[in-house]
Amino acid sequence: MALLEIVKAGNPVLKQEAAVIEKVDSRLRRLLDDMAETMYKADGVGLAAPQVGKSIRCVVIDVNDENGLLELINPVIVEREGSELDTEGCLSVPDVFGTVERSARVTVEYTNRWNKRKRLTADGLLARCIQHEIDHLFGTLFIDVAKSLRNGEKK
Ligand code: CO
């Protein structure tokens, strides 16, 4: 496995709509491994492929719950319910935090690393993280949708 460089806001790859992944193969699995290692090393709870300079539709997420490491390939949110305001940050936007409104509960369909289509319903931090990471695949950063932003420590 290898650590990848996390690109920062201002890099055009973060503003692009990412491409659908046509082939789930060992090369993609290696990228997912490297993305997970990079996320854990940076103390993040999610990382989307555009954040490592790859404009393709996959994300890794681990919010320290019973799901463990989630790898979502071509994820699509198919159901949403409720809404919730909470604080977010992003490894591509260091030292900035903001209040973002998200759906309180989402159901996401995705392909796993063994090319099986899966469905997951989540709420709380996991739901928030899924929405944040999928936004990256549309070229949207949390600073584009935050109701307010601030510098410094997460509160
Ligand atoms: Co982010």
Side-chain angles (χ1 to χ4, degrees):
M1 299 214 281
L3 284 178
L4 304 170
E5 189 189 342
I6 298 175
V7 304
K8 301 301 190 298
N11 188 312
V13 72
L14 292 175
K15 303 304 290 178
Q16 280 169 24
E17 179 148 356
V20 169
I21 293 171
E22 306 285 354
K23 202 165 153 214
V24 179
D25 56 10
S26 59
R27 194 156 152 257
L28 180 68
R29 285 188 282 276
R30 194 169 320 125
L31 173 66
L32 291 165
D33 288 342
D34 291 346
M35 284 172 60
E37 188 182 0
T38 302
M39 171 182 74
Y40 289 128
K41 173 87 180 178
D43 253 329
V45 292
L47 191 68
Q51 293 182 272
V52 293
K54 307 262 187 235
S55 193
I56 58 172
R57 303 187 84 80
C58 64
V59 310
V60 294
I61 292 172
D62 189 339
V63 298
N64 264 308
D65 67 359
E66 67 280 3
N67 293 293
L69 175 64
L70 287 167
E71 301 166 322
L72 313 184
I73 299 162
N74 297 329
V76 178
I77 292 173
V78 294
E79 283 175 42
R80 297 176 174 273
E81 205 182 300
S83 101
E84 232 165 50
L85 282 174
D86 210 341
T87 299
E88 292 184 19
C90 179
L91 294 175
S92 293
V93 193
D95 303 320
V96 176
F97 296 92
T99 304
V100 183
E101 184 170 5
R102 300 284 188 191
S103 301
R105 173 185 285 256
V106 296
T107 298
V108 63
E109 287 183 0
Y110 64 96
T111 299
N112 73 6
R113 65 161 50 213
W114 306 114
N115 209 21
K116 294 273 185 301
R117 202 67 183 163
K118 297 276 188 181
R119 173 183 267 250
L120 171 72
T121 298
D123 56 17
L125 177 60
L126 181 56
R128 177 164 297 275
C129 195
I130 288 169
Q131 292 168 82
H132 175 118
E133 299 312 328
I134 290 178
D135 265 6
H136 275 295
L137 307 182
F138 288 98
T140 299
L141 298 175
F142 84 99
I143 51 175
D144 302 326
V145 295
K147 295 199 177 293
S148 62
L149 290 171
R150 59 186 178 276
N151 289 297
E153 297 293 301
K154 183 170 181 178
K155 293 232 173 61

